[in-house]
Amino acid sequence: MCAYAEYTGYGVHTTAMNCLFCSILDGAIPSTAIYSDELCYAFADIAPQAPIHVLVVPRKHIDSLSASTVEDTALLGHLLKITAEIARQQGLKNGYRTVLNTGADGGQTVAHLHVHLLGGRSLAWPPG
Ligand code: AMP
Ligand code: ZN
């Protein structure tokens, strides 16, 4: 189970009991597994925005990137390194996009830090 998450300041308050991704990590909500280790879990996005759309989430509940602390530095690096490894395993040789939406203006809808991995098509820039 994830630990209780503190209020973080940008207006989202979650606990393991009401966090969607904590429920996925606990197995209470089904997901399509892509990768798993002791620190993180990766699964297919339920509403894919590209042919490959994977979410990489820490097993530790962190509300968002802005809620992360210096203690999370190695974990954040691990998430990015694993995302690159998944992209390689998925055969994304032409490149891909990694996205971390943070807070309301960043378009974050699930208050459990996650890295989006998008690939398999050419992606436009800038985003909307
Ligand atoms: P964000 O808007 O950056 O917080 O991203 C949340 C992502 O979670 C969205 O891309 C959703 O499609 C995805 N999502 C929501 N519910 C599920 C679910 N049950 N399984 C997999 N992905 C989900
Ligand atoms: Zn959570």
Side-chain angles (χ1 to χ4, degrees), residues 99-123:
V99 176
L100 272 142
N101 294 326
T102 301
D105 280 1
Q108 184 177 9
T109 60
V110 178
H112 181 129
L113 189 155
H114 49 283
V115 179
H116 293 259
L117 169 63
L118 296 144
R121 68 172 172 86
S122 182
L123 297 159

Side-chain angles (χ1 to χ4, degrees), residues 20-21 24 29 43-47 53 55 101 107-110 114 116:
L20 174 65
F21 289 172
I24 286 177
I29 293 176
F43 55 99
D45 196 293
I46 202 167
H53 189 170
L55 301 174
N101 294 326
Q108 184 177 9
T109 60
V110 178
H114 49 283
H116 293 259

Side-chain angles (χ1 to χ4, degrees), residues 1-125:
M1 289 287 288
C2 293
Y4 182 82
E6 301 289 339
Y7 179 77
T8 59
Y10 72 79
V12 179
H13 183 143
T14 62
T15 70
M17 293 180 67
N18 68 8
C19 174
L20 174 65
F21 289 172
C22 281
S23 296
I24 286 177
L25 285 162
D26 287 344
I29 293 176
S31 61
T32 301
I34 305 286
Y35 172 88
S36 180
D37 68 23
E38 70 280 4
L39 293 176
C40 68
Y41 177 61
F43 55 99
D45 196 293
I46 202 167
Q49 301 302 307
I52 292 172
H53 189 170
V54 178
L55 301 174
V56 185
V57 306
R59 292 191 180 278
K60 174 186 177 184
H61 180 98
I62 304 170
D63 274 5
S64 72
L65 187 62
S66 66
S68 65
T69 71
V70 68
E71 291 179 5
D72 301 316
T73 302
L75 175 60
L76 293 171
H78 182 75
L79 295 175
L80 291 181
K81 193 75 193 74
I82 291 304
T83 302
E85 177 62 19
I86 294 168
R88 192 190 64 76
Q89 290 174 352
Q90 296 287 324
L92 298 175
K93 293 183 176 142
N94 281 336
Y96 50 88
R97 183 165 297 164
T98 47
V99 176
L100 272 142
N101 294 326
T102 301
D105 280 1
Q108 184 177 9
T109 60
V110 178
H112 181 129
L113 189 155
H114 49 283
V115 179
H116 293 259
L117 169 63
L118 296 144
R121 68 172 172 86
S122 182
L123 297 159
W125 190 264

